[in-house]
Amino acid sequence: MISTLNWNPERGFELDLDVEHEGVVLAMSAVPVPADGTIELSGGVELHRLDVLFKSQATVEGEPGQVHECTVTLKGDALAIDAKVEDVETGEIARVQVSVPVDLPSGVPDKGGPRPEPEDEDELDWEDETTLEKMVVQPGDRTPGPAPVAGQEPSAKGLQALLRALVEGPDLTDEVEIPREPTAEGVAPPEPQAQPEPEPEPEPEPDDAEDQSMTPEGEALGLVQLLVRGDNLELEDDVEPRDLVDGLVGILAMPFSAERKASMLSEWLLEQDAVADLFIGDDDLAEILEQW
């Protein structure tokens, strides 16, 4: 078991972790620790939710896992870890409670240092490359985490590639050489025959979603409209479905199970001032997301 507690005068504590406990393997890379010094850390602090989601990787009995909560407590020369890891396949929660040795870096104050603040989900732009780098990519000058094993959850860089693919779509820049049919020596290939120009197809009439179903914004808008039409979502007066699109795009792009995204989506919708009420349970919402 390995733990490294780094200290930066501008950013504060950052934790690198690699532990195994009762079939659960848990690794973290450069996760901010919200404590301003050793006194606060000795009382125990809970790591921020988004940092835990995007800068951790876990397996449960060799199957992909997802870290939901993690609390760290400094106890002398050791760091106590208390984490909850979900088995993605079964939904069961495994508890990881271990104590690992740790060396405090020089310059760590008792109190008064910088304390990392949690990210505001409403302000994150998942289409922005800077956001992906900040939330997913491991910072430089770090000891790399364990190499991925077949069947395990993708690493943080793998999640970055997944999110980038969701946002940018496939890479079509590679050129493909088309083979030519061989021709007899000295005989010029025949001139290509002019093909008649196809008749232009009539343009489809725009619908309420403005035919944006292939874009992340169009998918998010279509989902809100579906929930409203099915009386599953009630919006406040003078609120349009499009007003919820920006926040919804980031949730739909997350590489989680439909059940996990349904829970996050329900919680997020109920927190919005634009939403009057939500009349659909997480299980029914997960079924919709699986087909979306």
Side-chain angles (χ1 to χ4, degrees), residues 53-66:
L53 283 175
F54 284 98
K55 298 182 179 180
S56 303
Q57 51 181 318
T59 61
V60 181
E61 300 294 344
E63 298 299 327
Q66 178 62 62

Side-chain angles (χ1 to χ4, degrees), residues 29 33 51 75 90 98 102 113 124 128 142 155 180 197 200 204 211-212 222 251 260 263:
S29 178
V33 179
D51 290 324
K75 296 184 176 181
T90 66
V98 295
V102 65
L124 293 177
D128 178 56
R142 298 290 183 194
S155 66
R180 297 178 178 273
E197 295 184 2
D211 197 23
Q212 296 180 354
I251 297 177
R260 175 59 179 157
S263 176

Side-chain angles (χ1 to χ4, degrees), residues 208-210 212 216-226 240-243 245 248-249 252 292:
D208 293 339
E210 296 183 2
Q212 296 180 354
E217 292 80 6
E219 292 181 1
L221 177 58
L223 179 58
V224 176
Q225 291 176 330
L226 176 65
E240 296 294 333
R242 192 178 301 277
D243 297 337
V245 166
L248 191 58
V249 166
L252 293 180
W292 203 251

Side-chain angles (χ1 to χ4, degrees), residues 15 17 26 28 31-32 34 44-49 52 56 67-73 80-85 96:
L15 175 64
L17 184 68
L26 172 61
M28 296 183 176
V31 177
V45 293
E46 182 176 355
L47 304 183
H48 297 147
R49 187 170 64 91
V52 169
S56 303
V67 187
H68 288 293
E69 299 177 12
C70 185
T71 299
V72 297
T73 307
I81 309 295
D82 186 353
K84 293 181 180 179
V85 180
V96 178

Side-chain angles (χ1 to χ4, degrees), residues 32 48-51 54-55 116-126 130-131 134-135:
H48 297 147
R49 187 170 64 91
L50 286 183
D51 290 324
F54 284 98
K55 298 182 179 180
E117 296 297 328
E119 297 289 342
D120 188 343
E121 296 182 50
D122 295 334
E123 295 182 358
L124 293 177
D125 181 4
W126 295 105
T130 303
T131 298
K134 181 179 181 181
M135 295 304 301

Side-chain angles (χ1 to χ4, degrees), residues 168-221:
E168 298 178 355
D171 184 3
L172 301 179
T173 58
D174 293 338
E175 296 182 357
V176 178
E177 182 177 355
I178 301 176
R180 297 178 178 273
E181 292 292 337
T183 59
E185 184 177 355
V187 179
E191 293 292 334
Q193 298 295 323
Q195 298 293 330
E197 295 184 2
E199 296 182 2
E201 297 181 0
E203 295 184 2
E205 295 182 2
D207 54 15
D208 293 339
E210 296 183 2
D211 197 23
Q212 296 180 354
S213 59
M214 296 304 293
T215 67
E217 292 80 6
E219 292 181 1
L221 177 58

